[in-house]
């Protein structure tokens, strides 16, 4: 009788242990820093002076959703500097990286410029810019 109860207890414990391990293994285990990462883009004129743009946007091409954090929707963090994404949006990117189309319109010429960043997130510790120019220059 006691052996049956012990066998059932071992089976139940083993089942729940395996189930929990599978849930945690989705992204694996890794040691991450507590640094909060933000990815930004600069807009400048031909002389290198910062430019605040109109109609700033950053759209993830895989999801077709904006990557701009709510905290950055109201405008630049400083003249000509816009936040594309931060660690709060990490789950919205694939681990390998997604293309993000970034655009803004010059307030003086009404010319719209776009560039592409590749940004990774997912199972990584932080969002990371994999590729892309850091500055958009208006001619």
């Amino acid at each position: 009788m006691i052996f049956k109860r012990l066998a059932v207890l071992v089976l139940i414990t083993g089942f729940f242990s395996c189930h929990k391990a599978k849930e945690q293994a989705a992204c694996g285990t890794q040691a991450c820093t507590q640094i909060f990462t933000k990815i930004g883009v600069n807009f400048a004129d031909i002389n290198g002076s910062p430019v605040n743009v109109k109609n700033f946007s950053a759209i993830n091409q895989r999801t077709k959703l904006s990557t701009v954090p709510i905290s950055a929707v109201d405008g630049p963090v400083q003249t000509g500097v816009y936040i594309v994404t931060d660690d709060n949006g990490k789950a919205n990117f694939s681990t390998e990286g997604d293309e993000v189309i970034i655009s803004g319109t010059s307030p003086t010429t009404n010319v719209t410029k776009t560039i592409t960043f590749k940004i990774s997130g997912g199972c990584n510790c932080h969002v990371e810019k994999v590729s892309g120019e850091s500055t958009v220059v208006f001619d």
Side-chain angles (χ1 to χ4, degrees):
M1 182 74 125
I2 193 156
F3 290 114
K4 285 183 182 179
R5 288 184 184 171
L6 184 59
V8 169
L9 181 62
V10 169
L11 285 173
I12 290 172
T13 304
F15 173 75
F16 284 111
S17 297
C18 291
H19 182 68
K20 188 173 183 180
K22 287 179 185 175
E23 287 179 304
Q24 291 175 348
C27 282
T29 56
Q30 56 186 325
C32 296
T33 65
Q34 290 188 355
I35 296 171
F36 188 78
T37 303
K38 296 179 182 181
I39 297 173
V41 64
N42 302 305
F43 288 89
D45 64 19
I46 194 74
N47 299 317
S49 298
V51 174
N52 285 340
V53 297
K54 302 186 295 185
N55 305 319
F56 171 72
S57 68
I59 306 296
N60 183 324
Q61 295 304 288
R62 181 178 58 84
T63 64
K64 303 300 184 207
L65 298 173
S66 174
T67 65
V68 179
I70 292 172
S71 62
V73 170
D74 292 332
V77 291
Q78 67 184 46
T79 305
V81 179
Y82 293 79
I83 301 300
V84 174
T85 194
D86 61 27
D87 276 346
N88 287 331
K90 182 178 74 121
N92 299 324
F93 296 95
S94 67
T95 303
E96 299 78 29
D98 298 333
E99 287 191 348
V100 177
I101 304 294
I102 300 158
S103 68
T105 304
S106 168
T108 55
T109 63
N110 284 323
V111 171
T112 299
K113 293 276 190 161
T114 62
I115 62 170
T116 303
F117 278 8
K118 185 171 185 179
I119 298 175
S120 64
C123 288
N124 297 318
C125 288
H126 304 283
V127 290
E128 180 181 353
K129 184 173 80 166
V130 177
S131 64
E133 294 295 321
S134 296
T135 303
V136 179
V137 178
F138 290 101
D139 302 336

